[in-house]
């Protein structure tokens, strides 16, 4: 809260972390025959090695940057969040099922920092050529991070394309994840014959469905001026 004793300290630390994400973790993918557009992804460091692999969970960073960037009037960080979210959307949209994998890798474009991982199999080589990335873990676990960031993107920018992206993902869920009594993840998002995982994590109902619902609900419902979402998607009313 702006009037709290530690407001400036937390603001400065958040901005420092956000700028470090941009300067140290992100890289753009190189072009491929099937993907003629470069996308921004977020890797990580392990000692001196830049790990050019992004997990599905890391898509939450886009929403964090969008919300914080808008709150602190840092348009450059809003743009960074939008770019990372566009990369997450590409991974969904390019997938044969319309679902994003648990983890994926990319080849950084010329002039970007060199990545540690490179393609090792014919399958990875074919995926890189077709999609501009290759799958490191092909599972889809009904995770909420992409939907969470789409929610923040729509609420902070008002751009309807984020609702469109959410609907794309939801229709893919309906087609591939719905079961007789609920929803299940899938074993391989690139497979033509989709096999489901006989398990549903609790975050599917607690977070994924909540964010999907709120993306299409009236924007006056659960406004970001009045409510704070915890990491697990719980609602906490803001103090005055």
């Amino acid at each position: 809260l702006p009037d709290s004793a530690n407001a400036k300290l937390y603001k400065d630390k958040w901005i420092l972390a956000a700028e470090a994400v941009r300067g140290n973790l992100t890289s753009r993918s190189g072009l491929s025959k099937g993907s003629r557009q470069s996308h921004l992804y977020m890797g990580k460091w392990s000692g001196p090695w830049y790990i050019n692999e992004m997990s599905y969970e890391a898509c939450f960073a886009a929403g964090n940057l969008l919300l914080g960037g808008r709150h602190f009037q840092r348009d450059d960080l809003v743009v960074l969040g939008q770019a990372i979210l566009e990369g997450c959307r590409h991974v969904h949209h390019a997938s044969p099922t319309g679902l994003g994998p648990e983890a994926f890798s990319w080849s950084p474009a010329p002039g970007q920092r060199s990545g540690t991982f490179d393609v090792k199999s014919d399958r990875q080589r074919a995926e890189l050529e077709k999609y501009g990335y290759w799958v490191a873990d092909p599972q889809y676990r009904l995770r909420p991070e992409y939907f969470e960031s789409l929610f923040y993107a729509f609420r902070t920018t008002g751009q309807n394309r984020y609702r469109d992206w959410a609907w794309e993902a939801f229709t893919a869920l309906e087609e591939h994840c719905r079961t007789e009594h609920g929803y299940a993840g899938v074993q391989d998002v690139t497979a033509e014959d989709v096999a489901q995982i006989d398990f549903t994590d609790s975050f599917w109902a607690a977070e994924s469905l909540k964010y999907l619902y709120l993306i299409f609900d009236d924007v006056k419902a659960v406004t970001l001026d009045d409510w704070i979402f915890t990491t697990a998607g719980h609602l906490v009313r803001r103090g005055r």
Side-chain angles (χ1 to χ4, degrees):
L1 298 175
D3 297 329
S4 66
N6 295 314
K8 185 178 185 307
L9 173 66
Y10 291 143
K11 173 185 177 181
D12 292 345
K13 286 187 175 293
W14 182 87
I15 290 176
L16 185 66
E19 291 177 341
V21 167
R22 176 173 56 197
N24 300 313
L25 298 184
T26 59
S27 66
R28 284 204 164 272
S29 62
L31 303 181
S32 66
K33 290 182 179 180
S35 179
R36 303 303 299 169
Q37 180 179 349
S38 179
H39 301 278
L40 190 70
Y41 300 124
M42 191 173 77
K44 53 194 172 187
W45 287 92
S46 178
W49 297 284
Y50 177 66
I51 309 300
N52 50 321
E53 180 179 288
M54 184 171 176
S55 70
Y56 193 98
E57 293 168 284
C59 286
F60 94 93
N64 187 281
L65 289 162
L66 281 154
L67 182 63
R70 183 64 69 208
H71 181 70
F72 295 129
Q73 298 182 330
R74 286 288 302 267
D75 290 344
D76 59 323
L77 297 179
V78 171
V79 171
L80 175 62
Q82 289 178 301
I84 293 174
L85 183 54
E86 190 279 329
C88 291
R89 189 262 178 168
H90 171 70
V91 172
H92 281 76
H93 189 65
S95 168
T97 57
L99 303 170
E102 187 75 357
F104 63 93
S105 289
W106 65 98
S107 292
Q112 301 280 299
R113 56 177 60 89
S114 299
T116 300
F117 296 147
D118 200 359
V119 292
K120 294 183 177 180
S121 67
D122 291 340
R123 170 176 171 162
Q124 291 177 344
R125 193 170 294 105
E127 289 173 346
L128 177 61
E129 183 173 307
K130 186 174 183 179
Y131 309 133
Y133 65 87
W134 69 91
V135 174
D137 183 342
Q139 295 183 90
Y140 175 71
R141 299 291 301 273
L142 302 172
R143 292 193 185 278
E145 287 79 13
Y146 179 53
F147 307 127
E148 176 185 8
S149 286
L150 288 174
F151 166 71
Y152 284 125
F154 177 68
R155 287 295 186 91
T156 58
T157 70
Q159 295 179 17
N160 279 320
R161 62 172 174 161
Y162 298 119
R163 274 183 165 173
D164 294 338
W165 294 0
W167 188 250
E168 288 176 354
F170 179 70
T171 55
L173 283 163
E174 284 287 294
E175 180 178 355
H176 300 294
C177 300
R178 188 159 190 166
T179 70
E180 183 180 358
H181 301 294
Y183 290 79
V186 302
Q187 295 180 16
D188 188 344
V189 298
T190 68
E192 292 184 5
D193 186 14
V194 175
Q196 293 180 331
I197 300 170
D198 189 18
F199 186 80
T200 302
D201 286 284
S202 60
F203 52 65
W204 163 245
E207 299 177 68
S208 303
L209 285 177
K210 184 183 298 178
Y211 287 120
L212 276 169
Y213 176 82
L214 289 173
I215 288 170
F216 298 102
D217 196 15
D218 191 322
V219 295
K220 295 179 181 178
V222 192
T223 69
L224 297 179
D225 292 327
D226 298 324
W227 296 91
I228 296 171
F229 286 80
T230 69
T231 302
H234 301 303
L235 290 163
V236 179
R237 187 179 289 277
R238 291 186 61 175
R240 296 297 183 184

